[in-house]
Structures are given as structure tokens and as C-alpha cells.
Amino acid sequence: MSKRKKRSFTELVNENKLQILRNQAAIEKIEERLEKKHLSKAQ
């Protein structure tokens, strides 16, 4: 059994970013959350 290489934080962030970019539903959810946040700050 080979030992798995421990990934750095940067590698994990990049991997997560790629997964999100492939998932359109996640992108829309994030956009909605940001939109609500900006609208609440504008009021």
C-alpha cells in the first residue's frame, strides 16, 4: 500500500474551485447568495 501524499491547502483550494466550476447549480447558488448580500447592504 502506498502512502497518499498530503495535499497542500493551495492544492485543495484549486481542486475545490475546479469542482465548483464544473457544477452549474453550485455556481447559481453562490451567485444568489452574493446578490442577496449586496442587496441587503445597499438598503
Side-chain angles (χ1 to χ4, degrees), residues 21-36:
L21 288 173
R22 287 188 207 117
N23 184 347
Q24 191 60 36
I27 292 173
E28 289 171 10
K29 189 175 178 182
I30 291 168
E31 287 175 343
E32 282 178 33
R33 221 180 324 159
L34 288 172
E35 204 171 301
K36 286 179 186 174

Side-chain angles (χ1 to χ4, degrees), residues 1-42:
M1 243 194 281
S2 63
K3 223 178 184 185
R4 288 181 60 172
K5 178 185 169 237
K6 189 170 183 178
R7 287 182 255 161
S8 71
F9 180 75
T10 306
E11 289 171 322
L12 290 172
V13 169
N14 287 332
E15 187 178 309
N16 192 27
K17 193 187 301 183
L18 286 173
Q19 287 177 351
I20 290 172
L21 288 173
R22 287 188 207 117
N23 184 347
Q24 191 60 36
I27 292 173
E28 289 171 10
K29 189 175 178 182
I30 291 168
E31 287 175 343
E32 282 178 33
R33 221 180 324 159
L34 288 172
E35 204 171 301
K36 286 179 186 174
K37 190 176 183 179
H38 289 292
L39 288 175
S40 67
K41 285 186 177 183

